[in-house]
Amino acid sequence: MAFITPSRGLRQDDPLSPFLFILCAECFSLLLVQAEANNEIAGVQIDRSSPRISHLLSAGDSLLFFKASQEEATRVQFVLNLLYKASGQLVNIEKSSIFFSRNTPPYIRSQIAGLLSVIKVGGQDKYLRLPTLVTKSKCETFRELCAKVKQKVSGWKESFISYGGREVLI
Protein backbone atom coordinates (compact mmCIF):
# COMPACT_ATOMS: atom_id res chain seq x y z
CA MET A 1 0.00 0.00 0.00
CA ALA A 2 1.41 3.40 -1.05
CA PHE A 3 1.02 6.58 0.97
CA ILE A 4 0.37 10.01 -0.48
CA THR A 5 3.01 12.48 0.57
CA PRO A 6 1.91 16.12 0.27
CA SER A 7 4.60 18.30 -1.23
CA ARG A 8 3.17 21.71 -2.08
CA GLY A 9 0.30 22.27 0.33
CA LEU A 10 -3.14 23.59 -0.55
CA ARG A 11 -3.70 26.36 -3.04
CA GLN A 12 -6.54 28.85 -2.91
CA ASP A 13 -8.47 27.22 -5.77
CA ASP A 14 -7.97 23.70 -4.46
CA PRO A 15 -11.37 21.92 -4.33
CA LEU A 16 -10.54 20.60 -0.84
CA SER A 17 -9.98 24.08 0.64
CA PRO A 18 -13.62 24.84 1.57
CA PHE A 19 -14.03 21.46 3.26
CA LEU A 20 -10.82 21.79 5.23
CA PHE A 21 -11.77 25.34 6.24
CA ILE A 22 -15.16 24.14 7.53
CA LEU A 23 -13.48 21.27 9.37
CA CYS A 24 -11.03 23.66 11.06
CA ALA A 25 -13.82 26.13 11.93
CA GLU A 26 -15.83 23.30 13.47
CA CYS A 27 -12.85 22.17 15.55
CA PHE A 28 -12.25 25.77 16.69
CA SER A 29 -15.90 26.09 17.66
CA LEU A 30 -15.83 22.82 19.60
CA LEU A 31 -12.69 23.88 21.48
CA LEU A 32 -14.42 27.10 22.53
CA VAL A 33 -17.61 25.25 23.51
CA GLN A 34 -15.52 22.83 25.58
CA ALA A 35 -13.69 25.69 27.30
CA GLU A 36 -17.05 27.27 28.11
CA ALA A 37 -18.47 23.97 29.40
CA ASN A 38 -15.42 23.61 31.68
CA ASN A 39 -15.97 27.17 32.99
CA GLU A 40 -12.63 28.27 31.51
CA ILE A 41 -14.29 31.07 29.51
CA ALA A 42 -17.59 32.71 30.39
CA GLY A 43 -19.00 34.13 27.17
CA VAL A 44 -21.71 36.81 27.29
CA GLN A 45 -25.37 36.66 28.10
CA ILE A 46 -27.91 39.23 26.89
CA ASP A 47 -30.24 38.57 29.83
CA ARG A 48 -30.70 35.89 32.47
CA SER A 49 -32.99 33.72 30.38
CA SER A 50 -30.83 33.73 27.23
CA PRO A 51 -28.00 31.29 26.48
CA ARG A 52 -24.37 32.33 26.83
CA ILE A 53 -22.45 33.09 23.63
CA SER A 54 -18.69 32.56 23.54
CA HIS A 55 -18.13 32.96 19.80
CA LEU A 56 -19.65 33.80 16.43
CA LEU A 57 -18.00 32.52 13.26
CA SER A 58 -18.59 33.71 9.71
CA ALA A 59 -16.79 33.13 6.40
CA GLY A 60 -13.29 34.06 7.51
CA ASP A 61 -13.96 36.02 10.66
CA SER A 62 -14.41 35.15 14.30
CA LEU A 63 -15.89 37.11 17.17
CA LEU A 64 -14.87 35.81 20.59
CA PHE A 65 -16.62 36.84 23.80
CA PHE A 66 -15.04 36.29 27.18
CA LYS A 67 -14.57 37.92 30.56
CA ALA A 68 -11.77 40.48 30.75
CA SER A 69 -9.50 38.45 32.97
CA GLN A 70 -5.98 37.14 32.56
CA GLU A 71 -7.17 33.55 33.10
CA GLU A 72 -9.78 33.68 30.32
CA ALA A 73 -7.45 35.51 27.93
CA THR A 74 -4.80 32.85 28.58
CA ARG A 75 -7.34 30.12 27.81
CA VAL A 76 -8.39 31.82 24.57
CA GLN A 77 -4.71 32.15 23.60
CA PHE A 78 -4.24 28.44 24.37
CA VAL A 79 -7.18 27.53 22.09
CA LEU A 80 -5.81 29.74 19.29
CA ASN A 81 -2.35 28.15 19.64
CA LEU A 82 -3.90 24.67 19.61
CA LEU A 83 -5.78 25.55 16.42
CA TYR A 84 -2.56 26.82 14.85
CA LYS A 85 -0.64 23.66 15.74
CA ALA A 86 -3.41 21.43 14.38
CA SER A 87 -4.25 23.33 11.19
CA GLY A 88 -1.50 25.84 10.47
CA GLN A 89 -4.09 28.65 10.55
CA LEU A 90 -2.64 31.67 12.31
CA VAL A 91 -4.57 34.70 13.56
CA ASN A 92 -3.80 37.83 11.55
CA ILE A 93 -2.90 40.24 14.36
CA GLU A 94 -2.90 43.26 12.02
CA LYS A 95 -6.58 42.66 11.23
CA SER A 96 -7.54 41.77 14.80
CA SER A 97 -9.00 44.13 17.35
CA ILE A 98 -10.31 43.88 20.88
CA PHE A 99 -13.12 45.71 22.62
CA PHE A 100 -13.70 46.06 26.36
CA SER A 101 -16.73 47.15 28.34
CA ARG A 102 -16.45 50.60 29.87
CA ASN A 103 -16.18 48.98 33.34
CA THR A 104 -12.84 47.35 32.51
CA PRO A 105 -9.93 49.17 34.18
CA PRO A 106 -7.16 50.45 31.86
CA TYR A 107 -4.45 48.25 33.39
CA ILE A 108 -6.51 45.11 32.67
CA ARG A 109 -7.16 46.31 29.12
CA SER A 110 -3.46 46.70 28.42
CA GLN A 111 -2.63 43.42 30.17
CA ILE A 112 -5.10 41.40 28.07
CA ALA A 113 -4.26 43.20 24.82
CA GLY A 114 -0.59 42.44 25.47
CA LEU A 115 -1.30 38.81 26.32
CA LEU A 116 -3.23 38.34 23.07
CA SER A 117 -0.76 40.52 21.09
CA VAL A 118 -3.62 42.69 19.81
CA ILE A 119 -2.63 46.20 18.77
CA LYS A 120 -6.04 47.73 17.98
CA VAL A 121 -8.00 48.41 21.16
CA GLY A 122 -11.40 50.09 21.11
CA GLY A 123 -14.49 49.91 18.96
CA GLN A 124 -13.69 52.31 16.14
CA ASP A 125 -13.13 49.62 13.50
CA LYS A 126 -15.50 48.75 10.71
CA TYR A 127 -16.70 45.35 9.59
CA LEU A 128 -18.20 45.05 6.11
CA ARG A 129 -18.01 48.88 6.01
CA LEU A 130 -20.30 49.18 9.03
CA PRO A 131 -19.22 50.34 12.50
CA THR A 132 -18.49 47.49 14.90
CA LEU A 133 -19.73 49.48 17.88
CA VAL A 134 -23.17 51.11 17.84
CA THR A 135 -23.50 53.84 20.45
CA LYS A 136 -26.69 55.19 22.02
CA SER A 137 -26.80 57.85 19.31
CA LYS A 138 -27.71 55.80 16.23
CA CYS A 139 -27.79 58.97 14.11
CA GLU A 140 -24.17 59.74 14.97
CA THR A 141 -23.04 56.14 14.50
CA PHE A 142 -24.53 55.80 11.02
CA ARG A 143 -24.13 59.43 9.86
CA GLU A 144 -21.37 58.55 7.39
CA LEU A 145 -23.37 55.65 5.95
CA CYS A 146 -26.49 57.83 5.56
CA ALA A 147 -24.45 60.52 3.78
CA LYS A 148 -23.10 57.96 1.30
CA VAL A 149 -26.59 56.58 0.59
CA LYS A 150 -28.00 60.12 0.12
CA GLN A 151 -25.17 60.95 -2.27
CA LYS A 152 -25.93 57.86 -4.38
CA VAL A 153 -29.69 58.44 -4.35
CA SER A 154 -29.40 62.13 -5.23
CA GLY A 155 -27.79 61.20 -8.55
CA TRP A 156 -30.78 59.00 -9.36
CA LYS A 157 -33.16 61.97 -9.37
CA GLU A 158 -31.51 63.26 -12.51
CA SER A 159 -31.89 59.95 -14.31
CA PHE A 160 -35.29 58.77 -15.40
CA ILE A 161 -35.78 56.03 -12.84
CA SER A 162 -39.25 55.75 -11.36
CA TYR A 163 -39.79 56.01 -7.62
CA GLY A 164 -40.35 52.24 -7.46
CA GLY A 165 -37.13 51.65 -9.44
CA ARG A 166 -35.16 53.78 -6.97
CA GLU A 167 -36.67 51.87 -4.07
CA VAL A 168 -35.57 48.57 -5.62
CA LEU A 169 -32.05 49.92 -6.16
CA ILE A 170 -31.81 51.01 -2.54
Side-chain angles (χ1 to χ4, degrees), residues 8 94 108-110 114:
R8 296 195 313 185
E94 292 176 8
I108 292 179
R109 292 177 187 215
S110 61

Side-chain angles (χ1 to χ4, degrees), residues 68-116:
S69 71
Q70 187 172 1
E71 295 81 19
E72 290 201 21
T74 302
R75 185 60 189 173
V76 167
Q77 185 65 42
F78 175 78
V79 168
L80 292 172
N81 287 336
L82 194 60
L83 179 71
Y84 170 68
K85 288 177 185 174
S87 69
Q89 291 183 331
L90 189 61
V91 174
N92 187 343
I93 297 299
E94 292 176 8
K95 290 184 178 180
S96 299
S97 63
I98 191 167
F99 175 76
F100 296 95
S101 74
R102 63 178 161 257
N103 300 331
T104 308
Y107 73 94
I108 292 179
R109 292 177 187 215
S110 61
Q111 185 182 47
I112 292 172
L115 183 67
L116 296 173

Side-chain angles (χ1 to χ4, degrees), residues 3 15 29 37 50 61-62 64-65 82 95 97 106 115 123 165 167:
F3 290 97
S29 180
S50 66
D61 299 316
S62 306
L64 306 180
F65 304 97
L82 194 60
K95 290 184 178 180
S97 63
L115 183 67
E167 191 172 308

Side-chain angles (χ1 to χ4, degrees), residues 34-147:
Q34 183 181 26
E36 189 176 6
N38 294 338
N39 293 322
E40 296 168 334
I41 60 173
V44 295
Q45 196 172 19
I46 303 303
D47 70 21
R48 292 179 186 169
S49 63
S50 66
R52 289 192 168 275
I53 299 171
S54 62
H55 62 286
L56 296 172
L57 306 177
S58 64
D61 299 316
S62 306
L63 293 172
L64 306 180
F65 304 97
F66 59 94
K67 192 183 293 183
S69 71
Q70 187 172 1
E71 295 81 19
E72 290 201 21
T74 302
R75 185 60 189 173
V76 167
Q77 185 65 42
F78 175 78
V79 168
L80 292 172
N81 287 336
L82 194 60
L83 179 71
Y84 170 68
K85 288 177 185 174
S87 69
Q89 291 183 331
L90 189 61
V91 174
N92 187 343
I93 297 299
E94 292 176 8
K95 290 184 178 180
S96 299
S97 63
I98 191 167
F99 175 76
F100 296 95
S101 74
R102 63 178 161 257
N103 300 331
T104 308
Y107 73 94
I108 292 179
R109 292 177 187 215
S110 61
Q111 185 182 47
I112 292 172
L115 183 67
L116 296 173
S117 304
V118 177
I119 300 164
K120 295 181 193 173
V121 178
Q124 305 306 316
D125 292 343
K126 291 189 177 189
Y127 179 68
L128 299 176
R129 295 187 183 172
L130 295 173
T132 54
L133 180 65
V134 178
T135 61
K136 286 184 180 180
S137 172
K138 309 289 186 277
C139 293
E140 187 62 38
T141 302
F142 294 105
R143 186 179 309 279
E144 183 181 333
L145 179 64
C146 290

